[in-house]
Amino acid sequence: MCRPERLANSKVFQPKADSPKYSPEELKEMSEDLFWSAALSIIASYAQMFQCLRELDRQFDFGLNLPATIATFRAGCILQGYLLSPMTKAFEKDPNLPSLMNAFEKELGENFGRFKRCMANVLSKTNTAVPVMAASMNYILTMHSENVPSAQCVALQRDVFGRHGFKRLDKEGAFNAQWKELQ
């Protein structure tokens, strides 16, 4: 971001953060939450990358072999990591796996609550922007939802801004709401 603009803005509005004191047990729990937030963010990032590679392969037919692609990461690429082996096994077991995240169902199921709690704590207690982790959490939520509430939020914003209308999930038709003026 533009530093001069950021500094000027900070003189106008600066969100207040909590200054809580934590017990050693709370710090240990928060550390575990942070670990799983980072781990699930990494899994979501890999899943997005592999979906992009699959789409490129669909369009350009370059013969994508995901286990072989992952093997190249082990050969000196910056993307080396402990997750490469389970990723390789997942795609060897099911080359048509809908999403790499599904291979980590246990980890997601047991730790997604930790991810949400970590994000809530970071935002409410520190006012720290964590855009990549937030994007990863939103990707996991979106890709495991039958309906996409974020799309409905966009429709809401459009209706508040310009009375563009919205559709509802529970009724047929197009709707507009009566919103108060913003200014």
Side-chain angles (χ1 to χ4, degrees):
M1 293 220 167
C2 181
R3 183 168 163 60
E5 180 183 342
R6 217 172 17 83
L7 293 175
N9 292 343
S10 72
K11 289 178 176 62
V12 175
F13 172 71
Q14 208 169 49
K16 301 294 180 221
D18 294 345
S19 297
K21 303 284 185 233
Y22 299 106
S23 70
E25 296 80 24
E26 290 172 312
L27 289 172
K28 184 178 180 190
E29 189 73 15
M30 290 167 71
S31 177
E32 188 73 9
D33 288 355
L34 184 58
F35 169 82
W36 282 106
S37 298
L40 296 179
S41 291
I42 292 166
I43 291 168
S45 296
Y46 274 114
Q48 290 176 71
M49 176 185 64
F50 291 133
Q51 289 307 93
C52 289
L53 290 173
R54 281 179 162 166
E55 183 58 31
L56 286 169
D57 187 46
R58 272 193 282 280
Q59 290 182 26
F60 301 106
D61 195 29
F62 53 78
L64 179 66
N65 177 329
L66 285 175
T69 302
I70 295 168
T72 63
F73 297 159
R74 287 195 196 99
C77 180
I78 195 168
L79 296 176
Q80 291 184 31
Y82 70 95
L83 293 171
L84 295 179
S85 181
M87 288 177 191
T88 302
K89 289 177 185 165
F91 286 120
E92 286 173 343
K93 181 179 175 184
D94 183 1
N96 298 313
L97 187 66
S99 171
L100 175 66
M101 291 184 293
N102 295 343
F104 294 91
E105 174 187 4
K106 180 177 185 271
E107 291 82 356
L108 280 167
E110 291 176 0
N111 298 293
F112 193 70
R114 288 181 173 281
F115 194 176
K116 292 190 329 185
R117 182 172 57 206
C118 178
M119 294 299 295
N121 281 331
V122 167
L123 294 171
S124 68
K125 296 179 179 170
T126 69
N127 285 335
T128 302
V130 284
V132 175
M133 289 179 107
S136 292
M137 186 177 76
N138 289 327
Y139 181 76
I140 293 168
L141 286 168
T142 299
M143 297 309 290
H144 289 90
S145 298
E146 289 182 18
N147 294 312
V148 183
S150 58
Q152 293 160 332
C153 288
V154 170
L156 167 73
Q157 289 172 322
R158 292 181 72 234
D159 195 53
V160 169
F161 174 73
R163 309 293 191 252
H164 293 280
F166 55 91
K167 295 186 188 257
R168 293 177 48 166
L169 298 176
D170 62 337
K171 293 182 181 178
E172 291 292 322
F175 298 87
N176 281 95
Q178 298 301 313
W179 304 103
K180 64 182 180 181
E181 294 297 322
L182 291 174
Q183 295 196 3

